[in-house]
Coordinates of all heavy atoms in Angstrom, one line a residue:
K118 N 94.8 86.9 110.3 CA 93.8 86.3 109.4 C 92.7 85.6 110.1 O 91.5 85.9 109.9 CB 94.5 85.2 108.4 CG 95.6 85.8 107.5 CD 96.2 84.8 106.6 CE 97.0 83.7 107.3 NZ 98.3 84.2 107.8
T119 N 93.1 84.7 111.1 CA 92.0 84.0 111.8 C 91.2 84.9 112.7 O 90.0 84.8 112.8 CB 92.7 82.9 112.6 OG1 93.4 82.0 111.7 CG2 91.7 82.0 113.4
D142 N 93.0 76.7 106.4 CA 94.3 76.5 107.0 C 94.4 75.1 107.6 O 93.6 74.8 108.4 CB 94.5 77.6 108.1 CG 95.9 77.5 108.7 OD1 96.6 76.5 108.4 OD2 96.3 78.4 109.5
S146 N 92.9 76.4 113.0 CA 92.7 77.3 114.2 C 91.3 77.7 114.3 O 90.7 77.8 115.5 CB 93.6 78.6 114.1 OG 94.8 78.3 113.5
D190 N 89.1 81.8 106.1 CA 90.3 82.0 106.9 C 91.5 81.4 106.1 O 91.5 80.2 105.9 CB 90.2 81.4 108.3 CG 91.4 81.6 109.1 OD1 92.3 82.4 108.7 OD2 91.5 80.9 110.1
Ligands
MG63 MG1 95.3 81.6 111.2

Side-chain angles (χ1 to χ4, degrees):
K118 297 181 291 290
T119 303
D142 181 350
S146 323
D190 178 15

